Amino acid sequence: MNPTYPIYALRRLAQAVVVVLLAYVFTFVVISVLPGDPVSSTLRNPENGFTEEQIAQIVAYYGLDRPVYVQLWESLSRFVVGDFGISLRSSLPVSGTIADALPSTLALAGTALVVAIVLAFAVAYGTQRVPVRYGQGLLRSFPALFLSVPNFVIGLLLLNVFAFQLGLFSVIDPNSGWATFFAAVALGIPVSAQIAEVLITGLDHEAEQEYASVARSRGLGRTRLFFAHLLKPSSLPVVTVVALTVGELLGGALITEAVFGRAGVGSVVQSAVASQDLPVLQAVVSLAAAVFVVVNLIADLVYPLLDPRVSIVPSSPHVARRRRRTADGPPQASGPLAKEQVSAS
């Protein structure tokens, strides 16, 4: 292990904490500057049934009668210890509401991630195994096709075929195993496009290297060449791409839950938007940002361990100027795509 890795890990952890806190502050500021006063309008709405005593307690709890910066500080203090406040619609703790809905969403997003990775690797493997005259070009067009079809369209198609036509699962039991699987398929297909595209590019690059030509000249089969030599260096950039697609998975999960009628974070967000329950919305946005940051932090910490060539030492101004002067110099040694290249792509 690189001796500077612990310092790198602590620095990345500190950056992740700062990003999460900034995301929470940004969400609070956006909600605070919204025109009107949705909190007071929610509390004063006769349909919600709040008494004057309950309204006074909620106003005192959130400090709504104090300056905005005081509200921000107290809200941030509660967020740090895991207190997301009280729902304006149900008067229940927001953390409990989200905790009840989160397992269903995590099960869907996790299964969809597995489906996306398996599908991407299958398509990439096919592009290396299937000859051009037997449809390799068609396989290479799959990522663009997957990306162009919205997940709710795929979900409606799967519902029509496997639930209504074949009766493989029931729409009145959206949390059953088969229902979760097909919901994950609908969510995972568009996400697999980016993974497959990066993996295909990496495999093509590695297949043109000299060591691959030598291996083929010595009679090494395509399957063994793929798994023993091409797959590992081509898979390293996929780590970063998978981390970057987590946000897409979370956003798509909310839509997919609505299509399949699942009770998850999506239904919580839907009811919060309809009732202007701002504490719930703020908690969900902050939680989504935290999950995205944590997954990318894990990817950043794992990547240097998988590929020691990745620099984890911050560049000094002198080194940065020297790199800019040599930017037009001879090309660097070939190898798998660096993490920065993947992020840029």
Side-chain angles (χ1 to χ4, degrees):
M1 178 187 297
N2 192 321
T4 61
Y5 183 81
I7 299 176
Y8 166 77
L10 290 176
R11 189 175 66 251
R12 286 292 300 115
L13 179 61
Q15 291 173 350
V17 172
V18 171
V19 170
V20 172
L21 294 179
L22 288 178
Y24 185 84
V25 172
F26 177 77
T27 307
F28 181 90
V29 171
V30 169
I31 292 176
S32 300
V33 301
L34 285 175
D37 189 356
V39 176
S40 297
S41 62
T42 302
L43 296 177
R44 300 292 180 185
N45 189 344
E47 296 181 357
N48 294 328
F50 286 102
T51 64
E52 289 298 327
E53 183 181 357
Q54 291 174 322
I55 293 175
Q57 290 176 350
I58 294 176
V59 169
Y61 178 81
Y62 285 109
L64 300 178
D65 53 349
R66 282 174 281 179
V68 174
Y69 65 87
V70 177
Q71 299 177 34
L72 172 60
W73 175 253
E74 294 185 353
S75 180
L76 193 59
S77 301
R78 289 194 298 268
F79 172 71
V80 171
V81 297
D83 182 2
F84 294 106
I86 298 175
S87 169
L88 299 180
R89 186 178 64 88
S90 63
S91 300
L92 297 174
V94 175
S95 55
T97 302
I98 295 178
D100 292 339
L102 196 58
S104 175
T105 301
L106 289 181
L108 174 61
T111 308
L113 182 60
V114 174
V115 170
I117 293 175
V118 171
L119 183 59
F121 273 79
V123 172
Y125 178 68
T127 60
Q128 302 300 312
R129 288 285 297 164
V130 177
V132 175
R133 62 179 181 278
Y134 291 134
Q136 184 187 111
L138 180 63
L139 281 173
R140 290 182 180 275
S141 66
F142 275 11
L145 177 64
F146 293 163
L147 197 59
S148 62
V149 182
N151 58 5
F152 69 88
V153 174
I154 301 174
L156 292 174
L157 181 63
L158 293 176
L159 274 176
N160 184 43
V161 174
F162 293 100
F164 298 123
Q165 302 296 329
L166 301 180
L168 199 56
F169 65 95
S170 173
V171 293
I172 62 175
D173 186 14
N175 293 319
S176 65
W178 279 115
T180 301
F181 172 75
F182 284 108
V185 171
L187 179 58
I189 287 178
V191 175
S192 70
Q194 303 173 46
I195 303 173
E197 193 64 45
V198 172
L199 187 55
I200 291 172
T201 302
L203 288 170
D204 291 342
H205 174 80
E206 293 300 321
E208 295 175 353
Q209 300 305 305
E210 185 176 355
Y211 75 88
S213 301
V214 172
R216 282 191 292 266
S217 66
R218 292 181 177 178
L220 196 67
R222 288 186 176 184
T223 301
R224 188 175 177 184
L225 176 65
F226 178 86
F227 286 104
H229 299 284
L230 301 183
L231 184 58
K232 181 180 179 181
S234 304
S235 301
L236 292 176
V238 175
V239 175
T240 302
V241 176
V242 169
L244 293 175
T245 56
V246 168
E248 185 177 349
L249 273 177
L250 293 176
L254 305 185
I255 300 174
T256 306
E257 285 177 350
V259 172
F260 282 81
R262 297 173 61 88
V265 178
S267 60
V268 173
V269 172
Q270 185 179 10
S271 63
V273 171
S275 60
Q276 294 185 317
D277 199 345
L278 296 184
V280 174
L281 291 177
Q282 185 176 5
V284 171
V285 172
S286 302
L287 187 62
V291 171
F292 184 78
V293 170
V294 168
V295 172
N296 279 275
L297 172 64
I298 294 173
D300 288 345
L301 296 180
V302 169
Y303 203 92
L305 299 177
L306 298 177
D307 189 355
R309 295 174 301 171
V310 176
S311 175
I312 59 176
V313 179
S315 300
S316 64
H318 172 71
V319 174
R321 287 194 296 271
R322 188 172 61 184
R323 287 180 176 175
R324 285 197 294 270
R325 285 199 299 268
T326 58
D328 297 331
Q332 303 297 316
S334 60
L337 291 174
K339 183 183 178 186
E340 292 77 5
Q341 292 173 283
V342 178
S343 301
S345 66

